[in-house]
Amino acid sequence: MACLLETPIRMSVLSEVTASSRHYVDRLFDPDPQKVLQGVIDMKNAVIGNNKQKANLIVLGAVPRLLYLLQQETSSTELKTECAVVLGSLAMGTENNVKSLLDCHIIPALLQGLLSPDLKFIEACLRCLRTIFTSPVTPEELLYTGPDHQTILFNHGAVQNIAHLLTSVSYKVRMQALKCFSVLAFENPQVSMTLVNVLVDGELLPQIFVKMLQRDKPIEMQLTSAKCLTYMCRAGAIRTDDNCIVLKTLPCLVRMCSKERLLEERVEGAETLAYLIEPDVELQRIASITDHLIAMLADYFKYPSSVSAITDIKRLDHDLKHAHELRQAAFKLYASLGANDEDIRKKIIETENMMDRIVTGLSESSVKVRLAAVRCLHSLSRSVQQLRTSFQDHAVWKPLMKVLQNAPDEILVVASSMLCNLLLEFSPSKEPILESGAVELLCGLTQSENPALRVNGIWALMNMAFQAEQKIKADILRSLSTEQLFRLLSDSDLNVLMKTLGLLRNLLSTRPHIDKIMSTHGKQIMQAVTLILEGEHNIEVKEQTLCILANIADGTTAKELIMTNDDILQKIKYYMGHSHVKLQLAAMFCISNLIWNEEEGSQERQDKLRDMGIVDILHKLSQSPDSNLCDKAKTALQQYLA
């Protein structure tokens, strides 16, 4: 029974407290504006440093009324300012207070306040916004910093207004201006192109940024300047071979990766450098030989070490909690470094215990670390040499298959992309992957809502089917099902369609396989081929489809499915006379395979095709200015003469 009494007791205590607070809220509804203003001022004094009072006023519904007064055109500027101050004070209470304010849609109201001509009111709104946005319970997307907002700021003269602040006597002001430029320039060519030409006291902005990343400047300033130059470079406003990138920005970011730097500086330095060099081979090469970077990154995995120089216990505690961010940053930078160059990949893999570290990273609890580890592995898996050696020695496919069992889409996309590489015919991992149930897993991916996963699923199956045994091909067809195959052939994503045609082409290779598959799935495959050749598709799609027909024409019994289908024969004839050489050549392959002399029934096939006017077309093509087409036509004509 005691449990039941608890609630009423609490209720009575609450009602006593709220009763003493109610008069503050009641005064907000007074018809006299002067009394309302005084009421808000009194409320401000009552809540300062008093969390209980803040909670009471929120419970009593003060927030909607304060927001109403703040937005009323009839409210005086002084009243609006005092309302913003009180709301800011309420936001400084508990996380629940912030949640309550967010539930009342405080952010749009405060953002609207920034359009006021009154500076004091703007400052009060900004202070309140800052308090709300620095709270962990506020979702970041509420203050979106994407291209739309960058453009709004840009169009309202943000660049010109912020530029002169870079020469302010106050270090804090200079830093805020720098940070603002880094946010504005990120992935925004329009802003970045403008920044390159901005003059501040007769000096171009990039030159000012370069001065700010010199060694004698505070680390925070060096890093943020390097970010500005990195983002401008990635947005195409500064060339990758410009001295300010090669000789200034890149070396500065490498310096940030050294073990002398604080954890967050090392993380930010490595991640920014990874972003800078990601698309450029030359920058990857330069970075890889700067200050022993590849070996330096290995220290990211030994942090904090037993002989760590951290004497501050608070700092040590903080770093232990954030050590996973170092591993994530190292994986990201290794992925960028090894994206193109075989020698760099070799150096990375030969770094102490590197493969073991990546494999461990695949099963970390942090999704971000897992994603970075998979990206790193994917980058290294582009190397034929490594696929044959290190990847096999460490049985990388095992943890990868585990990752693919259940992971968020962003990890699945990279992991399945890597699986495509491990399934290439020269990869020793191909066999064990097949034995561990990869066919079902990949067929499952082809049914994903996410087009990138559908592409990777079908791509991996295409690699798997290349020069594969009949049993594997049968497994793929059975697991995929003809219904799903047709769905993929009518997929709206061009990549999915192309890879599905590639899969079909690989399934229909080598005669016994062609005949076997066409004996069981011939009708449906011919139907699909017809639909594609009749549809509105690009040259590449039609070429792949004609190549599939050429493979079918290479079968012993499968040929008949073409020869007895007048519609298909007319289509082949049409493409022999097409304006595009690629399609003419593909159609020629079909004809050559159908009329080849040494095969049974070749005479009947030749006669039927002659009656259709194919020989006339061959004569015409033997005069083609395209040497390849001309040779193929002459070879085909010889079959008739033999």
Side-chain angles (χ1 to χ4, degrees):
M1 287 300 289
C3 297
L4 294 173
L5 290 171
E6 268 188 6
T7 314
I9 289 170
R10 272 213 201 116
M11 287 288 286
S12 60
V13 172
L14 191 65
S15 52
E16 279 171 38
V17 179
T18 47
S20 67
S21 308
R22 185 171 294 282
H23 71 282
Y24 287 116
V25 180
D26 291 343
R27 287 165 72 188
L28 301 181
F29 292 88
D30 198 291
D32 180 351
Q34 209 45 47
K35 285 184 179 168
V36 174
L37 175 63
Q38 194 50 53
V40 176
I41 292 168
D42 290 346
M43 185 184 279
K44 174 180 74 176
N45 295 331
V47 296
I48 290 172
N50 187 337
N51 275 352
K52 197 178 252 182
Q53 188 68 281
K54 289 176 188 179
N56 286 335
L57 291 170
I58 289 171
V59 168
L60 289 166
V63 177
R65 183 63 184 171
L66 287 167
L67 284 172
Y68 172 78
L69 295 170
L70 180 117
Q71 294 173 90
Q72 275 301 95
E73 283 181 22
T74 50
S75 296
S76 67
T77 307
E78 192 184 355
L79 174 59
K80 287 180 179 180
T81 307
E82 292 294 346
C83 287
V85 172
V86 174
L87 288 164
S89 189
L90 294 176
M92 281 181 177
T94 63
E95 290 182 358
N96 280 336
N97 291 9
V98 177
K99 280 181 186 163
S100 303
L101 294 171
L102 292 172
D103 290 343
C104 294
H105 307 291
I106 188 170
I107 288 173
L110 292 171
L111 289 173
Q112 198 58 37
L114 302 182
L115 300 173
S116 158
D118 187 87
L119 277 178
K120 272 195 169 171
F121 177 46
I122 291 174
E123 192 180 334
C125 289
L126 282 171
R127 283 180 188 280
C128 186
L129 279 167
R130 186 175 68 178
T131 306
I132 289 169
F133 277 110
T134 49
S135 164
V137 296
T138 309
E140 267 176 48
E141 55 270 22
L142 289 177
L143 189 66
Y144 187 59
T145 53
D148 299 349
H149 286 209
Q150 287 171 320
T151 308
I152 291 165
L153 286 167
F154 176 76
N155 292 341
H156 283 78
V159 172
Q160 288 69 24
N161 288 317
I162 296 164
H164 74 276
L165 298 177
L166 288 171
T167 56
S168 164
V169 289
S170 160
Y171 170 75
K172 274 188 175 175
V173 171
R174 291 202 302 279
M175 268 316 301
Q176 292 310 319
L178 252 188
K179 284 178 181 171
C180 198
F181 278 133
S182 78
V183 171
L184 279 172
F186 184 63
E187 291 185 348
N188 195 316
Q190 184 193 18
V191 173
S192 295
M193 292 291 186
T194 307
L195 292 183
V196 174
N197 301 311
V198 170
L199 280 168
V200 182
D201 291 353
E203 216 174 356
L204 284 169
L205 211 48
Q207 292 168 335
I208 293 173
F209 291 154
V210 166
K211 279 185 177 172
M212 288 178 150
L213 54 71
Q214 286 168 350
R215 287 169 187 263
D216 59 342
K217 296 290 186 285
I219 295 296
E220 179 191 27
M221 184 174 269
Q222 290 184 45
L223 244 176
T224 314
S225 308
K227 271 179 150 174
C228 291
L229 290 162
T230 293
Y231 297 160
M232 287 161 73
C233 178
R234 281 299 306 265
I238 301 176
R239 287 168 55 108
T240 53
D241 59 359
D242 190 299
N243 279 350
C244 77
I245 297 297
V246 179
L247 303 179
K248 301 290 181 182
T249 309
L250 188 147
C252 170
L253 291 169
V254 173
R255 281 202 306 276
M256 296 302 146
C257 299
S258 82
K259 55 165 85 162
E260 281 70 57
R261 302 268 55 89
L262 290 173
L263 177 137
E264 43 272 44
E265 292 161 1
R266 293 169 81 184
V267 168
E268 214 171 321
E271 292 196 340
T272 309
L273 183 55
Y275 182 66
L276 172 66
I277 68 175
E278 190 181 24
D280 193 89
V281 192
E282 203 39 51
L283 286 180
Q284 288 158 15
R285 287 185 184 135
I286 296 166
S288 73
I289 54 169
T290 303
D291 289 352
H292 308 290
L293 177 65
I294 291 175
M296 200 194 299
L297 285 177
D299 288 331
Y300 276 46
F301 298 93
K302 307 171 192 167
Y303 189 87
S305 64
S306 51
V307 289
S308 185
I310 305 172
T311 46
D312 178 352
I313 292 296
K314 247 187 179 171
R315 180 83 223 172
L316 184 61
D317 185 50
H318 166 273
D319 285 7
L320 282 167
K321 284 189 185 127
H322 294 270
H324 67 277
E325 291 173 23
L326 272 177
R327 295 193 292 278
Q328 179 194 335
F331 285 141
K332 276 187 184 172
L333 185 43
Y334 276 139
S336 280
L337 282 164
N340 296 290
D341 189 286
E342 191 64 35
D343 292 337
I344 298 175
R345 288 186 198 125
K346 193 167 180 291
K347 267 192 201 168
I348 292 171
I349 286 176
E350 285 170 0
T351 304
E352 47 178 326
N353 308 330
M354 196 57 217
M355 290 305 280
D356 293 333
R357 286 184 176 132
I358 302 175
V359 168
T360 307
L362 293 177
S363 54
E364 282 215 25
S365 56
S366 158
V367 172
K368 286 182 174 176
V369 177
R370 287 210 305 277
L371 178 60
V374 173
R375 282 217 172 108
C376 180
L377 210 46
H378 179 240
S379 179
L380 300 173
S381 76
R382 295 191 183 114
S383 157
V384 175
Q385 178 61 29
Q386 300 310 333
L387 281 176
R388 283 185 168 149
T389 53
S390 308
F391 276 62
Q392 188 58 13
D393 298 343
H394 291 266
V396 167
W397 64 270
K398 281 184 186 171
L400 186 71
M401 289 298 286
K402 205 170 168 189
V403 167
L404 283 161
Q405 299 305 328
N406 63 346
D409 269 15
E410 52 182 346
I411 289 182
L412 273 181
V413 169
V414 190
S416 55
S417 187
M418 194 189 138
L419 196 60
C420 294
N421 293 347
L422 289 179
L423 286 167
L424 290 164
E425 92 277 12
F426 53 73
S427 165
S429 307
K430 187 172 180 175
E431 283 304 312
I433 291 173
L434 282 170
E435 286 159 18
S436 67
V439 175
E440 286 78 9
L441 190 142
L442 294 168
C443 290
L445 288 183
T446 67
Q447 296 178 23
S448 168
E449 301 265 306
N450 184 332
L453 285 176
R454 291 203 300 281
V455 169
N456 287 349
I458 203 76
W459 194 340
L461 288 169
M462 180 185 95
N463 286 352
M464 194 184 272
F466 183 74
Q467 293 182 352
E469 300 163 12
Q470 172 63 40
K471 183 193 173 300
I472 292 169
K473 292 182 178 180
D475 278 354
I476 292 173
L477 272 171
R478 192 181 56 251
S479 292
L480 195 60
S481 81
T482 22
E483 294 76 41
Q484 178 59 4
L485 194 62
F486 285 124
R487 270 198 291 275
L488 293 165
L489 287 171
S490 54
D491 200 291
S492 56
D493 189 288
L494 178 63
N495 281 330
V496 174
L497 172 56
M498 282 297 282
K499 293 292 178 270
T500 309
L501 290 170
L503 168 65
L504 255 182
R505 196 172 162 182
N506 285 350
L507 289 171
L508 294 165
S509 63
T510 72
R511 279 188 187 166
H513 297 181
I514 296 168
D515 291 333
K516 180 90 177 69
I517 290 170
M518 292 307 286
S519 70
T520 50
H521 297 83
K523 193 179 164 202
Q524 297 101 315
I525 289 172
M526 294 305 283
Q527 208 179 334
V529 165
T530 309
L531 280 171
I532 291 171
L533 290 177
E534 282 174 355
E536 292 292 316
H537 292 291
N538 68 22
I539 300 293
E540 280 70 27
V541 169
K542 300 257 171 119
E543 182 193 17
Q544 276 282 351
T545 310
L546 286 166
C547 287
I548 289 168
L549 267 183
N551 283 12
I552 295 168
D554 192 35
T556 307
T557 54
K559 278 182 173 58
E560 287 313 303
L561 286 160
I562 296 177
M563 290 309 299
T564 54
N565 189 326
D566 289 344
D567 185 19
I568 284 282
L569 287 173
Q570 286 300 333
K571 285 184 170 53
I572 295 171
K573 179 183 172 182
Y574 164 75
Y575 284 109
M576 284 177 77
H578 199 273
S579 57
H580 206 289
V581 175
K582 271 186 173 180
L583 296 182
Q584 288 179 289
L585 272 169
M588 277 290 308
F589 277 119
C590 297
I591 295 298
S592 296
N593 285 344
L594 291 172
I595 62 174
W596 207 254
N597 256 328
E598 296 148 24
E599 286 162 17
E600 201 181 323
S602 62
Q603 193 57 55
E604 291 86 343
R605 289 194 292 275
Q606 286 183 6
D607 293 346
K608 181 169 182 175
L609 292 169
R610 179 189 277 115
D611 295 346
M612 278 178 61
I614 294 292
V615 176
D616 300 338
I617 299 174
L618 288 174
H619 278 296
K620 205 186 280 178
L621 292 178
S622 67
Q623 308 298 313
S624 167
D626 184 276
S627 59
N628 210 349
L629 194 56
C630 169
D631 291 347
K632 291 279 181 294
K634 285 176 180 170
T635 307
L637 282 169
Q638 279 167 359
Q639 296 302 309
Y640 274 94
L641 302 169

